[in-house]
Amino acid sequence: MAHLVSRRNPYIIGRPIDDPKLLFGRQDLFDFLEDNLRQGIKVTLLHGQRRIGKSSIIRNIPKSVKLEDFVFIPFNLEDYSRDNLSIILAELAKEIIEHLEIDAKKINPPNIQDLEKEPYIFYSQFLTIVFKELNGKKIVFLLDEFEALIDNYSASLLERFFHYLNSIIVVEENLFLIMFADRQSANMPNLLNYFQDVSTRDTSEIEIGFLNKDSARQLITQPAQGILEYEPEAIQAIIELSAGHPYFIQVICFAIFVRARELDESHIILQDIESIVDKAIENAEAGLAWFWDGLAIPEKVVFSAVAESQKIAIEKSKIVPEDPLKLLNKYGIVKTEILEQAVKDLVGYNFLYETGDRIKIELVRRWLLQRHPLRQEIKELKKLNEEENNFSYEVKKNLPLQEKKQNNLANYNTTLALSPKSFNYALALAQRSLHKEDYPTALKLYNRAYQADPSRNKEGFLQAIEKYADQLKQQHHWKEAKDLVSKVLDIDPFRFSAQEKKREIEISEEEEKYRSISKLEYYYPVKWRLSKRIHVIVIAGAMAISAIVGIGFGRFSTPCLASQNKVLGILCVDDPSINLSSGDRTFFPIINNPYRDRGIESFKIGDYQDAAKLFKQAVEADQTDPEVLIYYNNALAREKGNYFTLGVVVPTDNNTNFAQEILRGVAQSQQEFNEKDGLNGRFLSVVIANDGNGKEAEKAKQVAAELVKNKSLLGVIGHNYSEATKAALTEYQNVGISVISPTSSSTSLHESNVFFRTVPSDAAMGEKLAQYAINNLNLTRVVIFKSTSLFSESMTHEFQNQFEELGGKIVRQVDLTESTLNAQKEVNLSLANQAQAAILIPDRQYTDLALDIAKANNNIINSSKNQKKRGLKLLSANTLYSDETLSKGGKAVEGLITVVPWFKDAAQAKQYAQKAKKLWKHDVTWRTASSYDATQAFIQDLSNDSNHTTILTSLENAKFSVNETSGYPLKFSSEGERETQPILVQIKGGKFVAVP
């Protein structure tokens, strides 16, 4: 071995590692991230103890996650705790430009001033251009140190930032997030809740754990290879001292190298390890302090007790240490629920082994003995108990006389039972005060309990604050109520009840402030869970609006939904009148199209010639957007006058993909009609209506009621979901307006005589699937995996009836919405019940869970123990007919048979499919084809004297040829059903093909 005197210490303490060769034991983590990104997992949370190496992992992800179609943008939030959202977004934009080495002259990043006016230009005017520059590559933001935004000042900033990111990743399929948190952050109420609009199967989390023995051995020996030579016993001693924590391995080895260099001795033996322990503890003081900081006093006492108990066991040569709570009892500390919970919490922090009687990291144990001896911590606990006893005495002394009389003997006995040495006495008084609505006293008491043990008493403390805030709100003490709710959010930034309560208080304050001025009445968003109405004022003049916005609010960074209006620049409120548009607003504000925006302004003022010109430019700028093509044709129709009017209802708030798929079919049919000069020179205009997320019955009824006020309306295409269609039918029935749904398949809808559909019903699709299962696949025993939507229940019912009528048996039904669902267990149980196939009938929200069933089934088929390769055959409803199924399901869905309304590669559909692809620049879905047919049905029934009554009569007797549809004849039965057969397709070679 070479002389050590002039050698530089190869071990690194506290600095991130840039060289992948020196980052040991993390390849499995990189493989996990790579697999997540391949599967389209949008949000991944990594968490672990401090100093576990997350900064090193961040630096090495771009080098170790080998995906050529992904680029990684690290962004550290540590320095932004006193800034606002616009500053963070501006800095993130700069980081993107610098990291991707993009010419800033080519793509101009948004500045802070512009972002303050409208934060969403970060996506619509910047990020979308970056994606175009990347030519199809995906971006992954690596977010570190967001804990910096969880202090008292900036908790709401973290909320706004995460909500902002959530709104983008929902619409941008090429954007992904990997977030890094300390273990305490991960223990907060679920951080992933901020991404609730993303499917739960598109989020993932994993702990960054300790290194295994092989990786720990590599970290010990390889940095000093050729310089130091470790005896096996020395290596084992280092692993035992560090438990495989990479930071402590580096600390220990750093001290070893310093000593070896001083002695010029390169051979490291067991005795060398023991001699540097004190020095290692000194070097690691900053990292070790984290194990102590933030713990409640009971947790600190238990932590020190475990260290002391282990010390005694070692001295007495005992294998198993004494229970730390028994040891504390010897010091006069009575075992309480709080101390028992402290043990469980320390295990949960990964500080103790599962048994709760041994500290995982030996170096930490030795540090505790030196810096935090048990007797010292017991003094702190007793001091706290004395303070609590004095406090309890003051509370009892100040109780009202009447209460003392009411609670004499019973309360006295209760008090004795609680023991003044425990923390339960103050807690009991707090609960009693809360019950009696004596909120000031309850808060004082809960605060004491919370200070003693934050983890155990946090919820009670926060509930007490919220109830007091409610009382102050009712008394119109707005400032005090808001201050209390802010206190809740200081403690728990992720508490949604407090976030909503704060909004309620702010809105109520504004309502009172402007109650005497002119009012407009709106309903609040359902998601705010407010049942009352709000009166808000329309104030003319930019200065007035500016002044109001400045009243303690700032700007809300999240834009309103398409069905909402922003009032006073700050409040998003439901407005039925803006659920409809012929060209005066966009339902897709996230799409950046300046021509569209200018066209809308011209349309609003009635300059239809200029609007048509601008909308035409908007179409040329984005040939995939159906909304602008509809608006272009609407402007032409308005310019000519005397036009026909149809309505189309789509869910644009949360289902933009579905909405646009439907609108493409409508827009194509309208375009073809108007291009041929309409009917005798009369063009078609289409009113787009938005029914929110498409599943809220009241919202659908509200939109339908607003839509039918248009006396020139001849018919309606929609709604998307059966729930919405069913709710809205009453409104259409009342005025006799025909409704043709291109997507609602539930059998409960044909009771109305104004309802038609161009999609096969669940009865037709269930029958088709059941017959194929029995007659072609010879299946007699199946399990059904379903959800609870109207579609899923209807399809399940129809399939079951047909399958059992043909002699089959449903051996099990499994609810995919159950929170405790275990896919592997359910597949195993199904096979144990001799099921031959799984029938997957999820609604769109639960397709990922259905794919989990397919993956679990594939695991069994590929198991080395499964010699016969026995598994379940897979059949499904049309909700799994998507490119997403192919990409996410992979080999697990190979062979899946699904029943669909329309198939682009079918011989009958090819002509239309090619025509549609030429228009929209990509393949279209069955929703587009079915919507095209629905629009065509109305158009073919038009006449010069058409009204909604004549249209309804014509539809009942109409028959359309294949040249007038998406490839299949169209005729409605007396019940409004399309007389057509569904199609079976199968996944082969990673794509859908027709079943012969």
Side-chain angles (χ1 to χ4, degrees), residues 178 293 310 425 798 814 964 970:
I178 299 178
D293 296 340
Q310 282 186 258
Y425 184 68
E798 297 300 334
V814 180
E964 298 165 326
L970 176 57

Side-chain angles (χ1 to χ4, degrees), residues 902-903 905-912 962 966-968 983:
W902 179 87
F903 182 49
D905 291 333
Q908 300 94 319
K910 278 188 177 180
Q911 184 177 348
Y912 168 77
V962 295
S966 61
Y968 297 89
I983 302 163

Side-chain angles (χ1 to χ4, degrees), residues 308-326:
E308 181 71 19
S309 181
Q310 282 186 258
K311 175 188 173 187
I312 294 170
I314 292 169
E315 290 171 349
K316 295 184 177 181
S317 301
K318 290 184 177 180
I319 298 175
V320 179
E322 184 179 12
D323 185 326
L325 299 186
K326 289 184 179 179

Side-chain angles (χ1 to χ4, degrees), residues 14-227:
R15 288 186 292 110
I17 295 170
D18 289 307
D19 187 352
K21 295 178 182 177
L22 298 178
L23 189 62
F24 303 103
R26 299 307 186 195
Q27 190 55 50
D28 285 349
L29 181 60
F30 293 134
D31 291 343
F32 171 82
L33 294 175
E34 186 173 318
D35 188 54
N36 269 11
L37 293 174
R38 284 187 192 279
Q39 293 184 43
I41 303 298
K42 300 283 283 181
V43 183
T44 302
L45 173 65
L46 280 73
H47 58 86
Q49 293 184 359
R50 284 196 183 174
R51 309 279 182 170
I52 200 69
K54 59 186 175 71
S55 296
S56 299
I57 290 167
I58 292 171
R59 289 180 181 232
N60 283 276
I61 283 175
K63 305 169 189 175
S64 302
V65 175
K66 304 185 186 305
L67 294 172
E68 294 183 0
D69 54 339
F70 285 82
V71 295
F72 299 90
I73 310 293
F75 190 63
N76 191 315
L77 290 161
E78 187 172 16
D79 298 328
Y80 301 106
S81 62
R82 293 296 182 269
D83 293 320
N84 57 33
L85 180 64
S86 57
I87 292 175
I88 292 179
L89 294 176
E91 291 301 315
L92 178 55
K94 290 179 185 177
E95 188 69 29
I96 292 169
I97 292 290
E98 292 174 9
H99 198 82
L100 298 179
E101 299 179 351
I102 297 174
D103 186 355
K105 294 179 182 178
K106 192 173 183 181
I107 301 179
N108 190 28
N111 59 45
I112 295 170
Q113 293 74 22
D114 290 339
L115 286 165
E116 284 177 346
K117 293 176 184 175
E118 180 46 72
Y120 273 80
I121 64 172
F122 172 83
Y123 174 71
S124 62
Q125 297 181 21
F126 170 68
L127 204 54
T128 53
I129 302 173
V130 172
F131 278 118
K132 288 181 182 178
E133 186 72 15
L134 291 175
N135 293 320
K137 288 190 175 181
K138 302 173 177 65
I139 291 178
V140 184
F141 289 152
L142 306 175
L143 302 180
D144 191 20
E145 300 294 348
F146 57 78
E147 295 94 334
L149 306 186
I150 310 179
D151 63 14
N152 293 349
Y153 177 85
S154 53
S156 61
L157 174 59
L158 178 70
E159 175 192 350
R160 292 197 299 274
F161 183 53
F162 276 5
H163 277 313
Y164 183 92
L165 291 176
N166 171 60
S167 66
I168 294 177
I169 63 173
V170 167
V171 298
E172 180 50 68
E173 62 181 9
N174 288 331
L175 182 62
F176 297 76
L177 304 180
I178 299 178
M179 306 185 298
F180 298 81
D182 289 334
R183 189 173 185 85
Q184 277 78 350
S185 300
N187 281 338
M188 291 186 300
N190 197 347
L191 205 60
L192 295 176
N193 277 348
Y194 276 113
F195 302 94
Q196 57 188 335
D197 292 337
V198 182
S199 165
T200 56
R201 294 293 158 172
D202 280 347
T203 60
S204 175
E205 61 178 296
I206 188 174
E207 181 174 4
I208 306 172
F210 298 167
L211 302 181
N212 60 32
K213 285 189 177 181
D214 288 340
S215 298
R217 187 177 294 106
Q218 288 178 320
L219 180 54
I220 293 165
T221 59
Q222 289 195 19
Q225 193 169 21
I227 304 173

Side-chain angles (χ1 to χ4, degrees), residues 31 78 150 184 196 341 351 430 595 620 649 730 779 838 896 926:
D31 291 343
E78 187 172 16
I150 310 179
Q184 277 78 350
Q196 57 188 335
Q341 185 61 42
F351 291 177
Y595 295 116
E620 292 168 353
V649 189
T730 305
L779 300 175
L896 169 73
W926 67 265

Side-chain angles (χ1 to χ4, degrees), residues 642-815:
N642 193 28
Y643 49 85
F644 300 106
T645 303
L646 292 176
V648 55
V649 189
V650 288
T652 69
D653 279 1
N654 297 322
N655 294 287
T656 54
N657 288 339
F658 285 4
Q660 290 198 324
E661 287 174 23
I662 294 169
L663 291 179
R664 286 190 184 103
V666 176
Q668 183 176 355
S669 178
Q670 179 194 25
Q671 169 80 352
E672 291 172 359
F673 178 73
N674 288 354
E675 272 185 337
K676 296 174 183 177
D677 203 33
L679 177 66
N680 299 323
R682 294 179 65 184
F683 278 16
L684 173 65
S685 177
V686 175
V687 181
I688 302 176
N690 167 36
D691 63 357
N693 66 15
K695 290 190 174 182
E696 296 172 13
E698 284 304 312
K699 185 64 167 286
K701 282 190 70 173
Q702 183 188 66
V703 169
E706 192 72 20
L707 190 58
V708 299
K709 290 177 183 178
N710 186 335
K711 300 304 180 184
S712 62
L713 186 72
L714 299 176
V716 174
I717 300 144
H719 299 226
N720 180 55
Y721 291 105
S722 296
E723 289 90 340
T725 306
K726 186 173 184 178
L729 274 175
T730 305
E731 300 297 331
Y732 303 127
Q733 181 86 41
N734 288 342
V735 294
I737 285 183
S738 311
V739 182
I740 305 178
S741 176
T743 54
S744 299
S745 57
S746 171
T747 52
S748 65
L749 299 173
H750 56 59
E751 297 171 2
S752 171
N753 63 359
V754 300
F755 175 74
F756 304 83
R757 58 175 150 221
T758 51
V759 63
S761 70
D762 293 336
M765 290 196 282
E767 180 180 11
K768 184 81 172 182
L769 202 61
Q771 287 179 348
Y772 190 80
I774 293 281
N775 299 332
N776 296 75
L777 299 179
N778 299 316
L779 300 175
T780 56
R781 298 173 64 86
V782 301
V783 54
I784 296 177
F785 292 90
K786 65 182 185 68
S787 49
T788 55
S789 69
L790 189 59
F791 157 75
S792 186
E793 295 286 2
S794 171
M795 181 69 178
T796 297
H797 175 74
E798 297 300 334
F799 173 85
Q800 182 173 358
N801 282 352
Q802 290 293 325
F803 190 71
E804 291 178 343
E805 188 175 311
L806 293 169
K809 182 177 181 180
I810 310 298
V811 297
R812 301 180 71 225
Q813 284 196 22
V814 180
D815 186 355

Side-chain angles (χ1 to χ4, degrees), residues 174-412:
N174 288 331
L175 182 62
F176 297 76
L177 304 180
I178 299 178
M179 306 185 298
F180 298 81
D182 289 334
R183 189 173 185 85
Q184 277 78 350
S185 300
N187 281 338
M188 291 186 300
N190 197 347
L191 205 60
L192 295 176
N193 277 348
Y194 276 113
F195 302 94
Q196 57 188 335
D197 292 337
V198 182
S199 165
T200 56
R201 294 293 158 172
D202 280 347
T203 60
S204 175
E205 61 178 296
I206 188 174
E207 181 174 4
I208 306 172
F210 298 167
L211 302 181
N212 60 32
K213 285 189 177 181
D214 288 340
S215 298
R217 187 177 294 106
Q218 288 178 320
L219 180 54
I220 293 165
T221 59
Q222 289 195 19
Q225 193 169 21
I227 304 173
L228 297 182
E229 182 181 339
Y230 289 87
E231 287 289 325
E233 293 82 2
I235 293 173
Q236 182 60 32
I238 296 170
I239 293 174
E240 289 175 358
L241 273 173
S242 65
H245 193 300
Y247 172 74
F248 293 116
I249 291 176
Q250 296 271 22
V251 164
I252 294 165
C253 290
F254 187 94
I256 289 169
F257 191 90
V258 170
R259 184 174 185 275
R261 188 167 54 190
E262 290 171 355
L263 301 176
D264 197 19
E265 175 57 62
S266 60
H267 192 73
I268 308 302
I269 60 176
L270 180 61
Q271 288 75 10
D272 293 322
I273 311 304
E274 195 60 40
S275 65
I276 56 84
V277 169
D278 289 343
K279 186 63 179 175
I281 289 175
E282 183 183 328
N283 291 341
E285 193 69 48
L288 286 162
W290 175 77
F291 282 84
W292 194 255
D293 296 340
L295 292 181
I297 290 176
E299 291 170 339
K300 291 178 178 179
V301 171
V302 170
F303 209 9
S304 291
V306 176
E308 181 71 19
S309 181
Q310 282 186 258
K311 175 188 173 187
I312 294 170
I314 292 169
E315 290 171 349
K316 295 184 177 181
S317 301
K318 290 184 177 180
I319 298 175
V320 179
E322 184 179 12
D323 185 326
L325 299 186
K326 289 184 179 179
L327 178 62
L328 285 173
N329 193 48
K330 294 178 180 178
Y331 285 88
I333 304 299
V334 179
K335 181 168 74 170
T336 64
E337 290 183 10
I338 290 174
L339 292 176
E340 290 177 330
Q341 185 61 42
V343 176
K344 295 177 183 177
D345 289 340
L346 291 169
V347 171
Y349 301 152
N350 214 16
F351 291 177
L352 304 181
Y353 285 101
E354 291 295 329
T355 55
D357 57 8
R358 287 191 303 134
I359 295 170
K360 279 200 168 184
I361 302 174
E362 173 63 13
L363 198 70
V364 173
R365 185 189 71 83
R366 298 195 189 192
W367 171 74
L368 286 171
L369 293 173
Q370 291 182 18
R371 303 288 194 271
H372 300 284
L374 180 58
R375 289 184 183 277
Q376 174 182 310
E377 300 312 317
I378 287 175
K379 287 180 182 178
E380 293 296 319
L381 181 65
K382 288 182 175 179
K383 187 190 300 182
L384 186 68
N385 279 334
E386 289 170 5
E387 291 173 0
E388 180 167 339
N389 291 338
N390 293 334
F391 184 78
S392 298
Y393 171 74
E394 291 297 320
V395 171
K396 287 185 288 183
K397 184 176 69 175
N398 293 319
L399 283 175
L401 180 61
Q402 184 63 31
E403 183 174 346
K404 289 179 183 176
K405 291 179 180 178
Q406 291 174 350
N407 296 296
N408 46 38
L409 184 59
N411 279 334
Y412 180 73

